[in-house]
Amino acid sequence: MAEHSNSSAQTREDYSYEAFGRDFFEHAVTVERVEQALSNLTGNAVDFGPRSVGPGGLARIQAEGNIGEPSVMRREGELIEFTLMIPIDLDLTVRLAGHDHRFETELRAHLKLTARAQAPLHIFIDIPAPGEKDIDVELNARGLRASVLDVVADVEGELKRYVARYVAKQIDKPEIRRMREIDVRRRLEKNAPEKQIEDV
């Protein structure tokens, strides 16, 4: 049994610690693992407003909805990086001059993730907080009046600012942050056998 183990080991080629580390990162941080780390985001409720917007603050907006399933794609390059898209669908109501105008609103938050090595023996998935420029907004009106056009731009700006802050808080929640950190040494020690089993 021991001879077979030694024979198997001899068929493997030695290579550098640096190459080993790179291969370890590639195996440890995959699209599937990143998606799993962010899976707790899906279904979280989003409530916005009521808030005054538009010229003179004459319009009031309110929205509610949910976070959809995030999508992750690997980026080409030297660093192990990913693009993350978080979809948020909202039912938006704009109240102007005593009338409610309803929109189906699709927002997409675009973020970049980077797997970083940190001492001692940690892997951390770094996700910088998004800004307004990282948020796309699409408003689909159910019954738009011409007077509402004057406040649409302000509504989009408010939604971008709110969603950027909201997403930043979500990805930094303790349960999400724990999933973004891998303590390699702790996991190795946890899985180590208490007593060495000798070859028979």
Side-chain angles (χ1 to χ4, degrees):
M1 182 175 180
E3 291 181 1
H4 175 73
S5 176
N6 290 336
S7 176
S8 298
Q10 291 173 0
T11 63
R12 303 188 183 97
E13 295 183 1
D14 290 342
Y15 68 142
S16 68
Y17 292 140
E18 290 77 11
F20 179 92
R22 178 74 188 197
D23 282 353
F24 178 82
F25 255 80
E26 293 282 359
H27 178 75
V29 188
T30 62
V31 168
E32 292 76 19
R33 291 178 188 272
V34 173
E35 287 178 338
Q36 182 182 8
L38 299 171
S39 61
N40 287 341
L41 291 174
T42 303
N44 287 0
V46 182
D47 294 305
F48 174 75
R51 184 171 300 184
S52 297
V53 298
L58 294 177
R60 289 180 66 80
I61 61 174
Q62 187 166 3
E64 58 182 20
N66 299 92
I67 293 181
E69 184 176 354
S71 64
V72 180
M73 292 184 61
R74 177 68 187 270
R75 289 167 55 98
E76 296 295 332
E78 179 64 24
L79 296 177
I80 298 178
E81 295 181 324
F82 305 84
T83 57
L84 166 66
M85 190 278 287
I86 301 176
I88 302 175
D89 294 332
L90 299 176
D91 289 326
L92 171 69
T93 301
V94 178
R95 186 167 184 80
L96 181 66
H99 296 282
D100 287 342
H101 308 275
R102 302 187 184 281
F103 298 82
E104 293 176 350
T105 309
E106 299 178 358
L107 297 102
R108 302 291 181 261
H110 301 278
L111 298 88
K112 184 175 75 172
L113 291 67
T114 305
R116 301 192 184 280
Q118 297 182 338
L121 287 177
H122 275 68
I123 297 174
F124 179 63
I125 301 174
D126 184 24
I127 312 177
E132 292 180 47
K133 61 180 176 58
D134 302 311
I135 312 297
D136 294 334
V137 179
E138 183 176 342
L139 299 174
N140 301 308
R142 296 178 184 171
L144 184 64
R145 295 187 179 186
S147 57
V148 184
L149 291 174
D150 293 334
V151 300
V152 165
D154 292 314
V155 169
E156 290 186 358
E158 280 293 321
L159 287 175
K160 286 183 177 184
R161 286 187 286 274
Y162 170 77
V163 168
R165 292 193 298 268
Y166 175 82
V167 169
K169 290 180 180 179
Q170 291 292 313
I171 61 179
D172 209 40
K173 282 186 173 181
E175 60 269 26
I176 298 293
R177 195 171 181 88
R178 281 194 298 269
M179 295 292 290
R180 292 166 51 197
E181 296 181 359
I182 303 173
D183 186 338
V184 177
R185 182 173 62 180
R186 183 180 65 82
R187 294 194 179 190
L188 288 173
E189 291 173 350
K190 181 179 179 180
N191 294 328
E194 295 181 359
K195 183 174 66 175
Q196 183 69 33
I197 299 177
E198 298 179 356
D199 290 332
V200 178

